[in-house]
């Protein structure tokens, strides 16, 4: 898919992007390179994989990483119950070696996301989400897949990819990733959107919401993120939730009262809510009197 076609597909999906992002996606796709996307939680890293799946008309296969993730959850495991039943049924009918070999065949193999993505007849988009939460041992295990598009299963041997997935890895930088992993990937860093981009996202995703309200919400979120007192910065998804909640209540101006009623859609802990209450009362957060299109 060439760059212009990809841009058109992202436009259809109402995804707001810049040229740098579009070029990196296009080239990584053409070269068959995995893409590592880093940035703070909530900037829209996961959305890239979803948009690419839609743009390419591919299934999205997602592996959510966490501490202690191992091959049995990420790659494959054997259907032990089915194997046990087969042993009971065939114990007297087959010699021991034949029975053992038959137990480790496709019939008893349970595919997890990594194996599913490379054994798919049609190429998929593979999202390896929050790789920084997985252990270093798991990260090292991934290198074979990312380099050679194959995996090793002791009972079967090497499984080569039937189709090449477009791989997107995301990281919140909870821990440093290895240079070996980084070398295998194209790289993209995403920041929180600026005022102009945030407003464009609101307009694209919530076209029915009053434009003046969208501008007030975008400005308020920019101010919340810039406040050192706010511990958990609002994500793009929370910006959208907040605007949708205000619209659902028929609110057209972001007044202190409107902020109080809907704060739970943009901030998700009590300390931050207290900061919002204080700063909103002092007029530091955008209210209905802020007007529409300031960048302050």
């Amino acid at each position: 898919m060439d760059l212009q076609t990809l841009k058109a597909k992202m436009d259809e999906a109402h995804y707001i992007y810049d040229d740098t992002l579009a070029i990196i996606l296009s080239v990584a796709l053409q070269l068959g390179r995995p893409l590592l996307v880093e940035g703070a939680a909530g900037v829209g890293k996961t959305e890239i994989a979803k948009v690419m799946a839609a743009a390419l008309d591919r299934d999205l296969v997602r592996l959510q990483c966490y501490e202690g993730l191992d091959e049995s959850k990420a790659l494959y495991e054997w259907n032990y119950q089915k194997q046990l039943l087969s042993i009971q049924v065939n114990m007297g009918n087959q010699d021991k070696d034949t029975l053992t070999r038959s137990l480790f065949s496709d019939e008893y193999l349970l595919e997890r996301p990594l194996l599913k993505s490379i054994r798919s007849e049609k190429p998929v988009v593979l999202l390896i989400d929050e790789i920084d939460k997985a252990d270093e041992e798991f990260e090292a295990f991934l290198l074979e897949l990312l380099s050679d598009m194959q995996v090793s299963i002791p009972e079967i041997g090497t499984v080569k990819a039937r189709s090449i997935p477009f791989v997107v890895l995301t990281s919140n930088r909870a821990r440093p990733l290895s240079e070996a992993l980084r070398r295998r990937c194209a790289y993209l860093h995403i920041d929180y959107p600026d005022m102009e981009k945030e407003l464009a996202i609101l307009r694209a995703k919530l076209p029915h919401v009053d434009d003046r309200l969208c501008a007030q919400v975008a400005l308020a979120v920019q101010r919340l993120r810039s406040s050192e007192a706010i511990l958990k910065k609002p994500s793009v998804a929370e910006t959208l939730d907040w605007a949708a909640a205000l619209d659902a209540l028929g609110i057209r101006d972001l007044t202190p009262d409107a902020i109080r009623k809907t704060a739970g859609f943009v901030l998700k802990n009590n300390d931050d809510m207290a900061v919002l209450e204080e700063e909103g009362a002092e007029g530091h957060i955008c209210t209905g009197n802020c007007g529409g299109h300031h960048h302050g």
Side-chain angles (χ1 to χ4, degrees), residues 115-130:
L115 189 59
K116 180 180 180 182
S117 69
I118 66 169
R119 280 169 43 111
S120 172
E121 294 296 339
K122 295 181 178 179
V124 302
V125 173
L126 171 61
L127 169 62
I128 302 175
D129 214 6
E130 299 184 308

Side-chain angles (χ1 to χ4, degrees), residues 76-249:
Y76 77 99
E77 61 182 323
W78 296 106
N79 188 331
Y80 297 117
Q81 290 179 319
K82 192 173 180 181
Q83 286 174 323
L84 190 59
L85 182 62
S86 179
I87 290 169
Q88 292 170 343
V89 170
N90 296 304
M91 184 69 81
N93 304 329
Q94 291 179 314
D95 67 78
K96 198 174 292 184
D97 288 344
T98 304
L99 177 56
T100 301
R101 281 196 302 274
S102 72
L103 294 175
F104 295 102
S105 60
D106 266 12
E107 185 181 350
Y108 302 95
L109 189 63
L110 298 175
E111 292 180 342
R112 298 306 181 213
L114 297 183
L115 189 59
K116 180 180 180 182
S117 69
I118 66 169
R119 280 169 43 111
S120 172
E121 294 296 339
K122 295 181 178 179
V124 302
V125 173
L126 171 61
L127 169 62
I128 302 175
D129 214 6
E130 299 184 308
I131 180 60
D132 53 320
K133 289 188 176 178
D135 303 324
E136 290 178 14
E137 292 80 4
F138 181 76
E139 184 186 327
F141 155 74
L142 271 181
L143 297 180
E144 181 185 17
L145 174 70
L146 297 179
S147 293
D148 305 319
M149 284 298 155
Q150 65 182 35
V151 292
S152 300
I153 298 178
E155 300 87 349
I156 294 177
T158 300
V159 179
K160 294 185 181 294
R162 292 176 184 165
S163 59
I164 305 299
F166 180 65
V167 184
V168 178
L169 302 97
T170 72
S171 168
N172 298 336
R173 306 191 74 172
R175 67 168 177 84
L177 300 177
S178 71
E179 289 304 313
L181 180 75
R182 292 180 180 276
R183 280 197 304 271
R184 285 160 173 79
C185 301
Y187 180 78
L188 181 66
H189 184 272
I190 299 183
D191 288 315
Y192 286 113
D194 60 16
M195 173 70 185
E196 185 178 346
K197 185 175 180 182
E198 192 126 41
L199 184 53
I201 292 169
L202 283 163
R203 287 168 172 162
K205 298 291 187 182
L206 301 172
H208 58 283
V209 175
D210 181 75
D211 192 62
R212 184 167 177 267
L213 178 63
C214 284
Q216 291 174 7
V217 167
L219 180 53
V221 170
Q222 293 287 315
R223 289 181 170 178
L224 287 171
R225 290 199 194 116
S226 67
S227 170
E228 293 183 4
I230 298 293
L231 301 175
K232 166 67 172 68
K233 308 301 183 187
S235 68
V236 175
E238 285 155 355
T239 303
L240 293 166
D241 283 349
W242 196 17
L246 291 161
D247 182 65
L249 289 171

